[in-house]
Every structure is written in structure tokens, then in C-alpha cells.
């Protein structure tokens, strides 16, 4: 099993550009999450999904959108990139609810200039 | 709401024992996680405690006291590869987990 995969690993965007961060898991997990991690701030939840077709906002959803058309994929869309979105983005998945172990992808390091 | 406090940084010597503390406040307790995160890498699961007491897994042990809102991670026989950040995390219901900022541990020779 590949586990949780993310692409790209690194990306530099100009202010106002858009992009999609890809995330896929092959563990047949129902729950998937997007976090951002900034120095000294810990992991912050952006969006999560409890199954195909079902998504909900986390703590810091502004400026982002998600979709979940399949169990495997959970892309994160950035519209009109801003410098405040410079961060490391982690995708994670778990079998069930919040008390289940989360498995993280390797991360995408995004810089907006 | 939920709140987690951890020391920001710690330094310990190779071969020694180190204890990383985590104190928390939560309106509803559903267990406590510890994750390890090496620099530039993803967090990986270490332990999940839901009952009071000490759970041992090889060189790593995790302790929980629900009445005190307190947990610690105990690392024995420290190795250089244990240099990493250690994240304390609380399941908060509604499929959400709150992560602490993490304790960056540096192991020195």
C-alpha cells in the first residue's frame, strides 16, 4: 500500500494564481482531512470529509475549497492565492471518527509570492 | 472548546530519559494522541490513551491522568533519531482533532 500520497511536493505561486493540491489514499478510509502547518502554530484543520460526496469546514477554511467524488481522492483547491496561504499542507486519512489514528501524507510546501 | 499546552523545546542527551509533558482542557474527553514528526516530514502515530495510567511500547511510554488534565510521553535510552517534534492531540468530537503546537526535542551526543 502506498498509504496517503500528495502532489506536488513543492510549489511556488504568484499572488492571485490558483492551484489544486492532490491527495489520494489506498487504505479504503472513510475520513479524510486537510491541515496546514505554520511554524509555532501547530496543525490547523482546513476541511474534512466523512465519505464520498460529504465535506465540511474545519477551523481555517477561508480561501480554500474541497471536493470528494471518490473514497480515494480529496483534492484541495486554492483560489486567488495570497501570501497568508504560504504554509505546509498535509492531507490525512482515518478509518473512522476522530478517535481513530490519522495517517498523513508527506506534505506539500507552498510559497505564495 | 479545547486547549493544549506543551513546552516548545527540550534538549536531552543520547542514552538518557526524557519526559515531554502535555496539559489540556476540554469539555468532553475522548482520549489523547501522541504523534512524532521529524523535520520536513509528516506526523506519525505513537500512542493513544483513553484510560488513566502508563502504557509502554518499547522505549516509548505514554501516561494519562484524566482528573489532572495531564499526559506525558516518556522516551528511554534516547537515540539521535529521536530528535523530532512530539505533538499532543485531542479528539474533539465531530470528526475533528485539535493538535498542540508540538515539543521540539533535540538529542545531543
Amino acid at each position: 500500500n502506498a498509504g496517503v500520497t500528495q502532489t506536488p511536493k513543492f510549489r511556488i505561486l504568484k499572488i492571485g494564481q490558483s492551484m489544486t493540491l492532490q491527495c489520494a489514499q489506498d487504505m479504503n478510509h472513510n475520513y479524510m482531512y486537510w491541515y496546514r502547518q505554520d511554524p509555532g502554530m501547530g496543525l490547523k484543520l482546513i476541511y474534512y470529509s466523512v465519505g464520498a460526496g460529504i465535506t465540511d469546514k474545519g477551523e481555517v477554511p477561508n480561501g480554500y475549497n474541497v471536493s470528494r467524488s471518490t473514497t480515494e481522492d480529496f483534492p484541495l483547491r486554492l483560489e486567488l492565492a495570497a501570501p497568508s496561504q504560504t504554509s505546509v499542507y498535509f492531507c490525512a486519512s482515518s478509518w473512522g471518527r476522530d478517535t481513530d489514528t490519522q495517517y498523513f501524507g508527506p506534505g506539500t510546501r507552498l510559497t505564495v509570492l | 472548546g479545547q486547549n493544549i499546552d506543551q513546552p516548545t523545546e527540550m534538549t536531552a542527551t543520547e542514552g538518557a530519559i526524557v519526559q515531554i509533558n502535555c496539559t489540556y482542557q476540554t469539555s468532553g474527553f475522548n482520549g489523547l494522541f501522541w504523534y512524532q514528526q521529524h523535520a520536513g516530514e509528516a506526523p506519525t502515530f505513537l500512542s493513544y490513551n483513553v484510560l488513566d495510567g502508563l502504557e509502554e511500547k518499547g522505549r516509548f511510554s505514554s501516561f494519562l491522568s484524566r482528573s489532572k488534565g495531564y499526559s506525558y510521553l516518556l522516551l528511554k535510552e534516547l537515540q539521535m533519531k529521536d530528535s523530532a517534534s512530539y505533538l499532543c492531540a485531542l479528539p474533539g468530537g465531530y470528526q475533528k482533532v485539535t493538535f498542540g503546537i508540538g515539543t521540539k526535542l533535540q538529542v545531543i551526543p
Side-chain angles (χ1 to χ4, degrees):
Chain A
N1 286 354
V4 180
T5 57
Q6 291 182 240
T7 56
K9 284 186 169 54
F10 302 94
R11 184 71 185 269
I12 298 175
L13 282 182
K14 294 183 180 179
I15 294 172
Q17 287 185 320
S18 300
M19 76 165 294
T20 299
L21 281 65
Q22 301 292 344
C23 174
Q25 53 92 10
D26 62 359
M27 296 176 282
N28 203 30
H29 284 170
N30 294 312
Y31 289 53
M32 295 188 75
Y33 310 83
W34 274 107
Y35 294 93
R36 59 177 288 173
Q37 187 175 40
D38 302 304
M41 297 295 290
L43 287 159
K44 300 293 184 185
L45 182 65
I46 305 171
Y47 270 95
Y48 67 97
S49 169
V50 301
I54 307 170
T55 63
D56 205 350
K57 296 178 181 178
E59 188 179 357
V60 291
N62 291 346
Y64 307 95
N65 275 300
V66 293
S67 59
R68 183 105 181 263
S69 57
T70 66
T71 299
E72 294 78 18
D73 300 297
F74 190 40
L76 178 71
R77 178 80 175 166
L78 278 72
E79 304 282 2
L80 300 175
S84 61
Q85 294 178 305
T86 294
S87 188
V88 180
Y89 292 85
F90 288 103
C91 179
S93 72
S94 66
W95 174 250
R97 53 170 298 187
D98 54 319
T99 52
D100 288 334
T101 300
Q102 293 190 17
Y103 296 85
F104 288 80
T108 294
R109 189 173 296 273
L110 176 68
T111 302
V112 182
L113 300 174
Chain B
Q2 296 182 304
N3 190 49
I4 296 172
D5 288 309
Q6 301 181 241
T8 307
E9 295 183 348
M10 298 182 70
T11 301
T13 305
E14 190 177 15
I17 299 173
V18 70
Q19 178 174 312
I20 301 173
N21 295 326
C22 169
T23 57
Y24 63 87
Q25 295 85 39
T26 180
S27 55
F29 184 76
N30 294 299
L32 185 143
F33 286 101
W34 283 98
Y35 284 82
Q36 180 190 58
Q37 185 177 23
H38 285 100
E41 298 183 9
T44 55
F45 170 80
L46 284 177
S47 67
Y48 174 63
N49 293 65
V50 65
L51 299 176
D52 289 349
L54 185 70
E55 291 194 8
E56 299 185 57
K57 283 186 185 179
R59 293 189 302 113
F60 289 19
S61 301
S62 55
F63 172 84
L64 175 68
S65 170
R66 289 173 295 173
S67 63
K68 295 182 179 178
Y70 170 67
S71 173
Y72 67 73
L73 188 66
L74 194 69
L75 288 69
K76 303 176 185 176
E77 300 170 12
L78 278 173
Q79 302 177 10
M80 299 301 291
K81 67 178 181 180
D82 297 330
S83 293
S85 288
Y86 292 86
L87 313 180
C88 177
L90 286 174
Y94 304 102
Q95 292 78 43
K96 297 177 186 177
V97 176
T98 299
F99 286 85
I101 62 171
T103 298
K104 185 176 180 180
L105 174 66
Q106 183 183 13
V107 180
I108 58 175

